[in-house]
Each structure stands twice: as structure tokens, then as C-alpha cells.
Amino acid sequence: MNEAFEVIVVGGGPAGISAACVLADAGIKTVVIERGESPGAKNTSGGVLYGYNLAQILPDYIKRGCPVERNIVESRIWYLSKTAGYSIGYRDSIFAAERKHNVFTVGRARFDRWFATQAKQKGCLIIPGTTVIDLLRDADGKVSGVATNRQDGEIRAKVVLLADGINSALAAKTGFRKDVHPEHVALAVKETIELDPQIIEQRFAVSSEDGVTTEVLGEMSGGMDGVAIIYTNKSSISIAVGANLAQFAKTKIKPYELLEAYKQHPMVSPLIAGGKPIEYTAHWLSEGGYDTIPQLVGDGYLITGDSAMLFNALHREGHNLAMASGKMAAEAIQEAVKAGDFTRNGLSSYVRKMQESFVMKDMKKYRRFGSFLFGTPQVFNELPQVAQFAAREMLTVDGVHKKQKQKLIMAEIRRKVGLLNIARIALRGFRAVR
Amino acid sequence: MPKNSKGREVAEIIRKKCSGCHACIGECPVDAIDIVDSVVFIEPEKCIGCGKCVPVCPTDSILFNKPLKKVSEAVPTKSTSGISEYKGVAVYIEARGNVAADVSWELVGKARELAAKLDTQVYGFVLGQNVANIAHEAVYYGCDKVYLMESPLLQTYFSRVYGKALTQLTNEVKPGIMLVGATSLGRDLASVVATHLKTGLTADCTGLDIDPNEKLLLMTRPTFGGNIMATILCRNHRPQMSTVRPKVMRMPSRDLTRKGEIIEVKFNGKVEEVPRIIETITLDPSSIIDITHSPVLVVIGKGACDSRDFSMFEELAGLLNGTIACSRPLVEAGILPYARQVGQTGKTVAPKLYIGIGVSGAVQHLVGMQSSEKVIAINADRNAAMVKVADYSLVGEYQKVVPELIRGLKARTANFQFQGAK
Amino acid sequence: MHIVCCIKQVPDTTQVKIDPVTNTLIRAGVASITNPYDLVGVEAAIKLKEKYGGKVSVITMGIPAAKVQLRECLSLGATQAVLISDRFLAGADTLATSLTLSSAILKLHADDPVQIVICGKQAIDGDTAQVGPGIATRLGFTQLTYVSEIISLDKEKGLITVRREIEGGSQVVEAKLPVLLTVELELGAPRYASLPGLVRAIREKIETWTAKEIETPPEIVGLKGSPTSVRTIFAPPPRKGGPVFESSSGLEKAVDSLLNELFEKESLLVQEIIKVDGKVEHAKEQ
């Protein structure tokens, strides 16, 4: 088509819309191209968002009717064996008061639709139902627009911002992102289970607006390098379990069976009892960490969010990295517009901003974490088994004195893992997150 | 009951039950009701808790526990006083040349049942040119009075002319109920007449009955892919009109000894411009496959997906006067055409007998056949979903079961005919 | 040439799920689409416009969210779109719907005379096929239902020739304009909107008319203007499985037991099935 834009954003998820909002606020003529029938339509994730990051883009997001499912007042961490588990949690009333909406759950389908509407109201053009199939380049090789799957479907722009998710075919087309390796990707399967809000509030002991997140490690990922979650939404509970894609392939474990087993776990099943599964989805998460991040800018383009493999595997943070990167990319574009330079050099302030921000700092901090888990299968096998044995022994009152029990436990640890190994794992784990 | 931020108790929709019929939207005085994702959403901040939406909901999907204020009945647009003049059950007898469509007789049979409950008569409406013999047939099939309107203007069916003719007849005879066969002609004509008469018309009813107290016609029809049934009333307008698909009602017996009155009525219509029929193509009836009309279906599923076995299936279908249909995988494999597909993305069928061979019974398939009268499953897997819903199941390899079934049927039908002859 | 297309927003039935316990459809969360028959009609109208000039107006009666469907029609190339939306219009049956739509068409007609109205044969959620003929009757247009092909249009003489599907075959008819067509899917699938078409549809302002603007008093439209009302909605009882005969314990015996049951317990059905063939009747007459 004839009409030209200053910026084309590919993908209407958190990264793309964050960028679009910031660009529109700066009066830059922006178009967002989304392949789903509406933004969020292709999105399967229900997840947590961080108020801080959203406020950076939309300070008045609550006033604008952001579809918050539940405000998170308690975070739990579970370490599970097949039939038992440890639980620690932290609840703080400050998260229901002064620091309300520090963390909250959203349904991505609804959130993305709402978020896109905000960008639209700011003056962005959002084109749904359209797939970008290629990048257009000018004579110098600078990206100068995109080609879509529609008739008369080329659009020109000064700069293209790629925010089309982990399956981004375009990021690969820039030539700077390598093909995604199975080891660097987790496959997560999620089920949304509908329950009456009152039942959810009872089971998690929260008020009608509040909720709980639970992050789970241990044996429920079938011995694979993986994690699971339980999030409370308004009238449903999201439960998901994910593991490294390469290990899925190796173990031949079916994702659905993994989820079913997780649902049967004695710590999980009472929470979802009587609920009705209303949605089953599967999606990829980038787990490669810092070392798989591609070159973030080139002549006429920038890469953000999941397309840039930005995901903090330990803290399950993806949305906020996406939003923060989208914002920084948009700011870099603003500078490029001022300078009239859309080359790699002109856009390079994006990389600088990223390096200075929590995004890259966190990614760097945990750069070894992925390979730590991947290379330490004991975390998902022997350790939870030993942990179960220990707790079960200590808590069973059967006349055996505690010292005797400790001996038994130590023997079990030696048999299963070995004391030296435990120390080694602990050290490597510490180093990975230091 | 939930409260909004102003502390007011508000109505809330039960999303699971809502049928998305929109009936409540018009009742809301403050525009608090909207449709979100195909079901109703009541905006709590806008709702004033008046409860006006509650009584109109046909599925009781609105959570509201406050005592309701008395809601006045909707104002009828037509005076109800004239309703008592409308009596009798009329059937439009569709003439095709000089024979009537079978569905018309099926409806006369149903009309007799309804008339008995109302203690009234059955009227036949015969329109056309040289169709007097159909009027006599109508008596044999059960009409007490047949109104015969013959005119050269009615030689060929045109919506507008026929619409005027049947409207005139209805205005003169004033039947309380009028039934029309849901053929393509019948559906076309009934809508025109209902619009002229400004009365209600319910399409494709599968059940017709009389409310014992109010003596109203209860019209039951499947909606939305056949999974939900709705019973519809036409309270303040007459006639109460309904169309019914062929083969839904039972064919009555033709009784040559029946007596009835044939009344000729003159058509008041004038000559007017009508479309010109340039060409009519009549297909060989045997070449038209309509699995929705076949009383017996032999449905082939993925488990019997071998085209070499089709002669066997055809033989079975032939024995039962059935038609071959299939589930989706066979269409996707290119073995049978789309017209034969049963299920959510294919046709919804309700045969008298459904025989599934190697049909696993995916939900999408079950939706399309669950109104079948009797279901027989032939399946190798004892745990198939189809076996769980079938009235009778035969577990085994279809290659062996089907020939045995054919043999057994042949033996019995011969026997059966013999007994019938006695 | 002014063509008006009537469209309806319907739930995407391919997405509908079934509650295994109550056996009812779960409509919640199901996306809305343009009734596929209507969309075929819009495509046909746009093709006529491209060939013979003129304009295509698309109208729908519905909730504000139905603008999405109107925009879809604009993206294919419709000239203008009008939403008829008013809470007085909610709960309309086919009679009240055809009144509302024909009133809106008359308003369009006053600005620019309408020669052709196109409706889908039926809507996939209601399957009534009544609204099209109802509109034609109210407007006094010649109605041509079940159109599977538009063969020609003679603008000078004001004649249209179409193929209609009729019971047991088809016919080619020529009719004088103005006409109302109800169309079959065979007429041809809608195109995939071009990018400029899509962008135009996103930006176009969609006019909204209330009941007052189309001059329909509240008493004769919507729920109040509907002669029919729904008394109850219920789910047919879920099917329960019956006896299972295992061929592993003897094929002949299993088939025999099945047939025994059938001929004993379902003798009425068996009789009827064989009667369809006329065998029993013949036997009696002998």
C-alpha cells in the first residue's frame, strides 16, 4: 500500500504494544501488525504482570480499566516429590495496601486486547489478522518495511520493530538470531480450570480481589529440567507445567500426561477439585538466557521481548522484560527520529539502555542458571526424593528417637546422591544465581 | 448477591447457562447489559438492581435473589380480543404438479393429533391449477375441510403471488394454527405469509403439542446445531405458524372411506409481473444425496476407512433403505464428499436408525447425531465414546461383524415379511 | 446501482464446546463471526459493484460489538456500513427483525434508490431462513431465494438473471429489479481482504442508527414487537449407552443377540424402516 509510516511494530503482545504506546505518546506515526484476529487472540498465556513495568508505560493503567484478575498478596514456593512436598510462602498486607498491584494476574487474551486498545486510543493504527512474511530492504540492505500475506500488502517505514514472539521467523530473517535450539526452549502446557470465585478465595484464604502465586520445582516435571506454577485468576486457576523441549524429546514424555500427573499431586488436586477445565494450551518459553540473545539492532530494525529471547527462567519473568524492552526500543527510536539516523548506529542507544537496565543485568546474573538446571538432573529426581524421605521420617512419630532418624536420613542421602554431590550442587546453584 | 462499588446489590449472569438470546438487553433501563464473547455481561457499576431482566430470561441465567417488583406484561401489538375467532388447525398442502409433497400428509397426521386436543377441525389449504385431485387426497389423509383455491395465476409457484393467495385464504378461514412443510418452497412461502399476517412463525419444529392449560401451540425446535431445544409460543397473534421438516412427523394412513368437505375459494389476485423461468433442471432423485432426510444412516468412521469395504456397507445400507454417511476423517481423506459428513462441521442428522461403523464418537461428531432415535455402534474398541452413547453396541472387527449382520438381517426380513403377509 | 447487504453477527459454532454434565452448549468465550452465508452475499455484492459500478451498503441489527463484522465487510470492499443498535431492538424474533431491517433499507433507499438487497440464505445460529423473505415482502421487492449463481445483470433493462436451488434441482430465473436475493454458499467464498482494504475498514467511521432514526416505534420492534417468545430452553437428555455385545464370545451369537433385541424391543422402528421400502404394505395387499 502507498501510505508510509515512521515505525512498523510486528506483533501486538506486551513488547509491541508497550513500544507502540510510547511511540504514539511521542507523536510518531506507528502501525502495529498482529497475526491474530485481535491482539491477544493468539496468546495462550495467563500470567503475572508487574505494576511497576506497566506504570512505566501507562501510569494510570488502573483508571484505564486494566483487566486485573487478582492482586497477588502471597507468593509460595513448593518443592515437590511425586507424592509429597515442602511449601514456603510469604504473605504481606502491604501488597494489599500501599504496594497494591505490585504483582497481579491477568488473562493474556483480555489483557492484550485492552492494552492494544490503549495504543489505539493514543493514535496507533493496529492491523489485526495479518501476518508479516518478510522484511523489505532498500538498496543498501537497510530494512525499509515489511511484506504481509495480504494482497497489496507491503508497507514501508523508517524503522521496523520486531516483537513477534519466540517463534519469530523474522528475527531469524535478520540473520542475527540463530535458529532456536530445543535446549534453549521450554515447552509449557497450561490448563485453566474454572471455579467459583468464592471457592478460590476459600481455598487460598484470600479476599475477593486478592490472589496467590505458586512456583513449583521438583519431581513433577517428570525428572526433566522444568518448573510448574499455580496462579489464581478471578474465577479460574491457571496451572502449568513446563520442561525443556530437548528433554521432552528425549524422555518421550507426553506434555499432557505430565500435566495430568501434576493435577493429581496431593498438594495440587485439592486446590482444583470440582473445577472444570476450560482451556488447554501449550506454548514455548525462551530459556536459553543471556547467551542466546541475538544482536538487538541492525540497520532499520530492532528486536524486543520474546523474539529477543528475553526471559528470566528463574523468576518466570517474561512479560515485564518484554514491556521494558519495548519501552526502551521506542525511546531509542525517538532519538533516531530526532537525529534522522535509522541505521544500526542511530538505533544503538537501545542496546545501551538495555545493558544499563535491570533487563540485561538480570539476564546476565542468571546466565548460568539455565545450564545449571539443565546439567543437574538430581534437582528434579533424587533431591526431592531424599527431601521427602527426610521430612517423612522426622515427622513420623513412631517411638524411634530423632538421632536414629537423622542417621537413617543421612544414609539415604549418601545412598541416593552422596554428600559431596549435594555440596557441589549447592555451590553450582549458588554461583548460577549470584 | 454481588454488590457493586456503590454497595448496591446487582444482578449477575451465570455464564454457563446463558444462551445468548439477548432477551434481557432490551429490558434493562440503564443499558448495563452487553454481549461479551457470545454471552451476556451485566456491568455491575451500571446495574441498578431493578431485576427487570430476570423474568424474561428463558434459561434462568440471571443471579438475582431480591424479591422482584411486579413486571407488567409486554404490550401486545395486536388486540387479543380477535383471537377467539381463530379456530382449527390448517395445513398448507404443497402441490408438486398434481401430487402433494409427502411432508404435507405428515403434517395432516400431526394436525389431527393437535385438533383432537383442541376439540377442533383440520383444514387443508390446496393452492394451484388443476389440483382438485389433491384436495380429495387431503380428505383421505385426514382433513375435515379442504379449501381449494385454483387459478391460472397459481400455475407456477412464485413467492409473491402464492404469498398473497395463502394470506387471503388464511384471512378468510382464520385458522388458529397453520402448519407448513419446511421444504425450500414451504420455508419461502411461510415467511411471506407470516409477514403479511404480522404473526409469529417458528421454523423447523421437531415437536408440536398443545399446552393443556392455555391451549397454546407449543413449538419445539432445535437451535444452535441441534444441541439446545427451545419451546416457543405465539401468544397474542394468530394463526400460530410453524414449519416442520420432512420425515419428522409420522406419515398417517390413507383411508379411502374418510369423508370431508371441499370448499372452493376464488383467488382475488390480479395478474402481475412475475419472474420469468428460463430453465429448470430436475436432477435424477437418486443422484441427490441428502443425509439429513434419510431415515436410516450407515455412518462410516475412521476405524473403517477402507474404500474396498464399501460394497459391504452399501449392501447393509441397501437392506435397511439407508444412506451412507461418514465422519470427518473420511472427508478429509477424500474418500467421501462433504455432503456425507455428519457432525459439527458437517450436517446435523436425526435419523430413526443410526449405525456407526468404526466411528469413535468425537464430541464434534456426537453433536451432529445425538438426536437420532436409535443408535447402533459397531466398533473394535469396547471403550470408544460411541459405544458409551449407543443404544446397542457390537464390539468386534467390522470386516467380520458387518457380513454377519447382513446375513442375519436377510434371514429375518424374509421371515418378517412372511409374518406380515399372514 | 445501490446494493444493500444484511448481515448478522453469530457465534462461531465450530468453537462451541459442550458441557459433558448438563449436555448444553457452552457459549461463553465463543468468538463472534459474520454469518458465513451473509459474507458470501457481501462478496457477491462487491463483485457486482466492481463489474457494474454503484455502491454496496452493509447493515446489521445488533449490539455495538457487531461493528467488527461490519468492518470485515468494509475490508472486502463495501462502500458503507450502518449499525442499527438500540436496546429497544433487543430480543427481536424474525418478524421484528425483518421490520427493523426493512425500515433501515427504506432510509437508505430515500438517499439513493436500492435495486438489490442480498441476505444469506439463513443464519447458522438460528437456521430460520425467514428474515430475507420477510424483508422482501415488506419492501415489495421480488424475492429470489436460495440463489447459487448470479448469471447476469442488465442495468439498462433493470433485469437480473440468477440460478436458484429448488427441491430436486435448480432453475434459472430472470426477474425485474428491485429484487431481494437470499444466497447459498455455492455463490463463492469471500475474498481475503487486501491490506489497503483492511486499513480503510479499520479507520472508517461506522454510522449507528437507533430505532428512532429508522422511524420504528419501540412497541413494534425488539421483544415487544415479536409475536413469538421462548418459553423454555432445555438440553435434550444425554444419550445413555445400552447393551454391548462382544463378538469375542462368538460372532454369530453376538449378532444374533443384537438382532433379537432389535426385533423385539424396537419392533415399531424395524417395521417402520422396512415399511419405508413398502415391503410390509405390499405384503398386506397380497
Side-chain angles (χ1 to χ4, degrees):
Chain A
M1 58 184 270
N2 293 327
E3 190 176 347
F5 292 81
E6 284 182 280
V7 184
I8 297 169
V9 176
V10 184
I17 298 295
S18 297
C21 283
V22 174
L23 289 166
D25 278 339
I28 291 171
K29 191 178 175 190
T30 305
V31 56
V32 179
I33 305 173
E34 161 61 36
R35 76 192 161 110
E37 280 311 311
S38 63
K42 291 268 174 202
N43 210 298
T44 58
S45 159
V48 295
L49 277 188
Y50 299 83
Y52 173 81
N53 299 93
L54 186 52
Q56 297 286 306
I57 291 139
L58 294 168
D60 52 347
Y61 65 95
I62 292 294
K63 223 189 242 163
R64 288 170 173 264
C66 175
V68 172
E69 292 276 330
R70 284 179 186 274
N71 173 46
I72 299 305
V73 293
E74 179 179 336
S75 300
R76 294 178 186 168
I77 296 170
W78 288 359
Y79 193 50
L80 303 187
S81 69
K82 278 205 177 79
T83 54
Y86 288 82
S87 166
I88 61 163
Y90 181 73
R91 178 182 289 218
D92 195 332
S93 57
I94 199 168
F95 295 124
E98 297 99 297
R99 295 192 195 162
K100 196 175 169 184
H101 297 129
N102 173 51
V103 181
F104 54 88
T105 50
V106 292
R108 279 289 301 279
R110 265 181 81 197
F111 173 81
D112 283 19
R113 205 158 35 184
W114 168 83
F115 202 24
T117 307
Q118 309 313 308
K120 200 171 161 182
Q121 282 169 4
K122 288 175 184 286
C124 250
L125 174 67
I126 306 214
I127 304 180
T130 304
T131 307
V132 171
I133 49 175
D134 207 353
L135 298 172
L136 302 174
R137 288 172 195 271
D138 63 14
D140 307 327
K142 177 191 162 292
V143 171
S144 61
V146 299
T148 67
N149 62 338
R150 290 188 182 269
Q151 193 201 325
D152 206 357
E154 295 190 350
I155 314 184
R156 302 275 162 184
K158 287 174 182 146
V159 56
V160 176
L161 189 142
L162 300 180
D164 54 339
I166 183 158
N167 290 328
S168 173
L170 293 174
K173 279 198 168 128
T174 62
F176 292 107
R177 197 182 95 172
K178 294 184 201 90
D179 284 347
V180 177
H181 286 286
E183 305 85 73
H184 296 154
V185 175
L187 175 68
V189 284
K190 194 188 93 193
E191 204 164 88
T192 308
I193 295 161
E194 190 179 57
L195 276 168
D196 274 350
Q198 288 88 345
I199 293 179
I200 295 174
E201 286 142 28
Q202 249 166 31
R203 289 184 184 171
F204 288 87
V206 289
S207 72
S208 65
E209 279 181 39
D210 297 339
V212 174
T213 59
T214 309
E215 323 277 332
V216 186
L217 273 169
E219 258 190 313
M220 78 302 122
S221 48
M224 299 184 283
D225 165 10
V227 291
I229 55 105
I230 302 171
Y231 294 156
T232 53
N233 307 315
K234 186 81 213 160
S235 56
S236 65
I237 292 177
S238 296
I239 74 161
V241 54
N244 192 282
L245 192 60
Q247 294 191 334
F248 265 120
K250 206 168 117 195
T251 56
K252 303 263 189 302
I253 292 174
K254 294 200 179 76
Y256 184 73
E257 290 167 2
L258 197 63
L259 186 66
E260 275 308 301
Y262 176 47
K263 280 166 70 179
Q264 304 299 327
H265 193 281
M267 304 242 327
V268 180
S269 67
L271 296 177
I272 57 172
K276 198 174 67 183
I278 49 173
E279 191 184 51
Y280 173 80
T281 52
H283 61 121
W284 284 10
L285 306 169
S286 52
E287 285 216 314
Y290 186 78
D291 297 317
T292 55
I293 296 173
Q295 185 177 317
L296 293 174
V297 291
D299 288 339
Y301 72 88
L302 309 91
I303 307 180
T304 59
D306 270 1
S307 338
M309 303 294 274
L310 295 173
F311 188 82
N312 181 338
L314 180 63
H315 290 278
R316 316 314 298 163
E317 289 182 12
H319 299 152
N320 59 335
L321 299 189
M323 290 164 80
S325 66
K327 179 172 182 269
M328 286 182 265
E331 288 163 356
I333 292 170
Q334 274 172 259
E335 286 169 28
V337 168
K338 260 184 215 143
D341 180 3
F342 300 97
T343 62
R344 186 174 164 191
N345 199 27
L347 294 166
S348 62
S349 68
Y350 172 47
V351 181
R352 205 170 51 245
K353 285 175 204 289
M354 289 281 277
Q355 299 289 5
E356 286 163 6
S357 76
F358 79 98
V359 177
M360 286 312 211
K361 289 200 169 122
D362 283 359
M363 290 299 290
K364 241 185 203 163
K365 172 166 152 66
Y366 297 122
R367 72 189 295 179
R368 286 194 212 92
F369 185 65
S371 58
F372 158 67
L373 289 180
F374 192 70
T376 321
Q378 293 94 327
V379 174
F380 307 99
N381 295 290
E382 291 85 353
L383 282 183
Q385 289 160 13
V386 168
Q388 173 191 318
F389 182 84
R392 204 177 258 180
E393 282 306 309
M394 289 308 279
L395 293 173
T396 304
V397 179
D398 54 1
V400 179
H401 60 84
K402 296 286 185 265
K403 195 151 189 188
Q404 178 63 26
K405 289 197 172 197
Q406 272 176 16
K407 267 189 192 164
L408 277 169
I409 292 164
M410 290 313 279
E412 179 71 9
I413 293 173
R414 274 189 211 102
R415 196 174 65 78
K416 277 228 154 115
V417 204
L419 280 177
L420 203 61
N421 265 335
I422 293 246
R424 222 177 263 148
I425 290 167
L427 186 66
R428 283 180 52 206
F430 174 71
R431 275 196 191 141
V433 299
R434 191 176 48 170
Chain B
M1 254 169 91
K3 286 181 182 174
N4 65 12
S5 66
K6 293 162 218 147
R8 181 177 269 152
E9 290 191 318
V10 293
E12 191 180 14
I13 203 77
I14 304 162
R15 281 167 61 88
K16 277 182 270 186
K17 288 171 82 181
C18 176
S19 71
C21 74
H22 297 205
C24 53
I25 296 178
E27 291 304 308
C28 179
V30 292
D31 289 339
I33 311 181
D34 206 346
I35 296 276
V36 176
D37 292 340
S38 300
V39 294
V40 159
F41 175 71
I42 302 174
E43 174 57 57
E45 295 307 313
K46 281 191 189 168
C47 179
I48 55 169
C50 70
K52 281 188 177 150
C53 51
V54 181
V56 297
C57 179
T59 54
D60 297 328
S61 308
I62 300 172
L63 196 65
F64 195 83
N65 302 329
K66 273 202 286 188
L68 291 175
K69 287 189 198 123
K70 207 170 171 198
V71 182
S72 60
E73 270 272 302
V75 191
T77 56
K78 200 169 170 179
S79 142
T80 49
S81 59
I83 280 185
S84 57
E85 288 175 44
Y86 287 78
K87 287 195 182 80
V89 182
V91 177
Y92 168 71
I93 316 277
E94 182 181 332
R96 293 177 177 172
N98 57 1
V99 292
D102 279 348
V103 63
S104 304
W105 304 141
E106 291 160 15
L107 291 185
V108 170
K110 188 70 198 181
R112 282 244 62 89
E113 273 175 43
L114 300 174
K117 288 185 183 172
L118 290 167
D119 197 17
T120 181
Q121 290 191 315
V122 173
Y123 309 140
F125 288 176
V126 180
L127 282 69
Q129 175 72 331
N130 301 324
V131 287
N133 66 314
I134 296 179
H136 288 102
E137 285 292 314
V139 172
Y140 302 151
Y141 276 105
C143 291
D144 300 308
K145 283 182 186 164
V146 181
Y147 293 88
L148 174 64
M149 186 183 264
E150 288 188 300
S151 160
L153 300 175
L154 302 172
Q155 174 75 43
T156 310
Y157 175 80
F158 291 108
S159 316
R160 195 183 314 188
V161 185
Y162 263 66
K164 282 180 184 164
L166 187 55
T167 303
Q168 180 200 326
L169 197 51
T170 312
N171 277 330
E172 287 173 19
V173 179
K174 294 191 166 40
I177 292 170
M178 181 149 73
L179 309 180
V180 180
T183 59
S184 37
L185 185 154
R187 280 159 70 116
D188 185 296
L189 176 61
S191 314
V192 174
V193 173
T195 308
H196 279 309
L197 296 171
K198 303 211 167 17
T199 190
L201 168 62
T202 306
D204 296 346
C205 295
T206 53
L208 293 172
D209 204 351
I210 301 295
D211 180 291
N213 303 319
E214 294 187 278
K215 301 290 177 197
L216 288 167
L217 181 63
L218 300 172
M219 299 173 274
T220 299
R221 72 182 303 258
T223 67
F224 216 66
N227 204 269
I228 288 185
M229 305 297 286
T231 300
I232 292 168
L233 294 180
C234 178
R235 192 180 285 277
N236 298 320
H237 297 72
R238 292 294 178 274
Q240 304 161 78
M241 286 182 68
S242 159
T243 65
V244 180
R245 286 202 177 236
K247 310 270 188 212
V248 170
M249 302 300 174
R250 221 160 270 245
M251 183 67 126
S253 58
R254 174 171 174 261
D255 181 353
L256 288 161
T257 64
R258 275 194 59 94
K259 295 275 175 290
E261 199 183 340
I262 295 177
I263 302 151
E264 288 185 31
V265 181
K266 192 177 163 291
F267 177 38
N268 297 336
K270 293 181 205 76
V271 180
E272 59 180 303
E273 199 159 11
V274 292
R276 187 165 67 91
I277 297 173
I278 296 170
E279 184 191 8
T280 302
I281 297 164
T282 313
L283 297 169
D284 175 7
S286 64
S287 72
I288 304 165
I289 305 144
D290 187 351
I291 58 170
T292 62
H293 283 173
S294 181
V296 177
L297 288 179
V298 174
V299 184
I300 317 301
K302 200 176 161 191
C305 203
D306 193 334
S307 51
R308 282 170 301 184
D309 294 321
F310 267 58
S311 56
M312 176 164 94
F313 302 144
E314 271 157 14
E315 189 179 358
L316 179 63
L319 269 178
L320 297 165
N321 277 293
T323 308
I324 302 265
C326 66
S327 64
R328 188 168 165 171
L330 274 86
V331 176
E332 281 174 356
I335 295 175
L336 282 170
Y338 172 69
R340 304 258 188 176
Q341 185 189 324
V342 172
Q344 200 169 47
T345 51
K347 299 249 165 71
T348 301
V349 297
K352 294 197 186 301
L353 180 63
Y354 169 108
I355 303 178
I357 304 174
V359 180
S360 63
V363 175
Q364 287 78 0
H365 185 79
L366 297 181
V367 185
M369 53 67 69
Q370 60 176 359
S371 306
S372 306
E373 210 164 296
K374 288 291 161 192
V375 175
I376 299 175
I378 297 171
N379 218 307
D381 178 7
R382 174 82 170 75
N383 296 315
M386 186 50 96
V387 174
K388 296 201 175 91
V389 301
D391 299 289
Y392 303 96
S393 297
L394 242 169
V395 176
E397 301 286 323
Y398 76 92
Q399 291 97 332
K400 290 179 192 148
V401 173
V402 176
E404 185 58 33
L405 193 63
I406 292 171
R407 224 180 346 262
L409 268 172
K410 274 183 180 163
R412 278 165 201 264
T413 43
N415 190 20
F416 198 71
Q417 279 171 39
F418 177 68
Q419 281 182 353
K422 275 198 293 191
Chain C
M1 184 68 51
H2 187 186
I3 306 170
V4 176
C5 296
C6 304
I7 67 157
K8 184 181 183 188
Q9 184 191 44
V10 294
D12 184 352
T13 49
T14 59
Q15 277 189 23
V16 170
K17 295 185 189 88
I18 290 149
D19 187 319
V21 182
T22 60
N23 201 34
T24 49
L25 285 149
I26 304 166
R27 287 179 68 127
V30 174
S32 294
I33 55 168
T34 310
N35 179 38
Y37 290 96
D38 300 345
L39 211 53
V40 161
V42 172
E43 173 66 33
I46 291 163
K47 281 207 187 96
L48 286 174
K49 181 192 85 171
E50 285 167 349
K51 201 163 167 189
Y52 302 101
K55 71 175 185 188
V56 175
S57 305
V58 181
I59 62 171
T60 189
M61 178 182 94
I63 54 170
K67 280 186 183 174
V68 174
Q69 276 65 45
L70 289 173
R71 287 195 198 284
E72 183 181 10
C73 298
L74 287 173
S75 76
L76 301 182
T79 320
Q80 62 167 340
V82 181
L83 171 72
I84 304 136
S85 188
D86 196 320
R87 64 188 183 86
F88 294 118
L89 301 175
D93 72 357
T94 53
L95 191 80
T97 303
S98 68
L99 172 70
T100 307
L101 290 173
S102 53
S103 305
I105 294 168
L106 284 175
K107 186 171 158 72
L108 289 167
H109 188 73
D111 279 349
D112 185 356
V114 176
Q115 282 90 20
I116 302 175
V117 176
I118 303 182
C119 301
K121 174 178 81 166
Q122 61 194 45
I124 57 167
D125 60 341
D127 286 338
T128 69
Q130 288 169 8
V131 172
I135 295 171
T137 304
R138 287 180 193 275
L139 295 175
F141 283 21
T142 298
Q143 87 188 45
L144 300 171
T145 43
Y146 314 115
V147 170
S148 57
E149 186 187 355
I150 296 174
I151 295 166
S152 68
L153 178 72
D154 188 332
K155 259 171 80 178
E156 307 303 309
K157 293 191 188 137
L159 289 172
I160 188 165
T161 308
V162 303
R163 180 180 298 283
R164 299 180 58 219
E165 298 303 304
I166 55 171
E167 216 80 18
S170 68
Q171 62 177 202
V172 175
V173 290
E174 179 193 80
K176 207 161 184 190
L177 301 178
V179 293
L180 178 138
L181 316 179
T182 77
V183 299
E184 299 269 3
L185 295 180
E186 284 84 349
L187 206 56
R191 69 193 66 189
Y192 192 56
S194 72
L195 190 63
L198 184 61
V199 169
R200 184 191 140 238
I202 293 166
R203 287 175 170 160
E204 192 90 3
K205 198 171 150 33
I206 289 176
E207 225 177 307
T208 303
W209 292 348
T210 60
K212 205 173 166 186
E213 279 163 286
I214 55 169
E215 292 166 28
T216 50
E219 307 83 61
I220 60 166
V221 291
L223 198 62
K224 291 204 168 89
S226 296
T228 60
S229 56
V230 178
R231 169 177 274 194
T232 45
I233 285 180
F234 59 96
R239 298 195 77 94
K240 286 201 183 87
V244 177
F245 306 97
E246 303 263 6
S247 67
S248 53
S249 56
L251 176 63
E252 209 170 317
K253 203 180 123 218
V255 172
D256 204 47
S257 321
L258 169 76
L259 289 173
N260 275 343
E261 287 250 353
L262 266 186
F263 278 72
E264 274 168 33
K265 290 200 182 142
E266 320 288 352
S267 61
L268 214 70
L269 177 78
V270 172
Q271 267 183 49
E272 214 172 304
I273 288 167
I274 297 171
K275 195 175 163 185
V276 175
D277 194 24
K279 278 177 192 160
V280 169
E281 268 184 331
H282 291 161
K284 265 185 194 159
E285 279 163 21
Q286 282 160 16

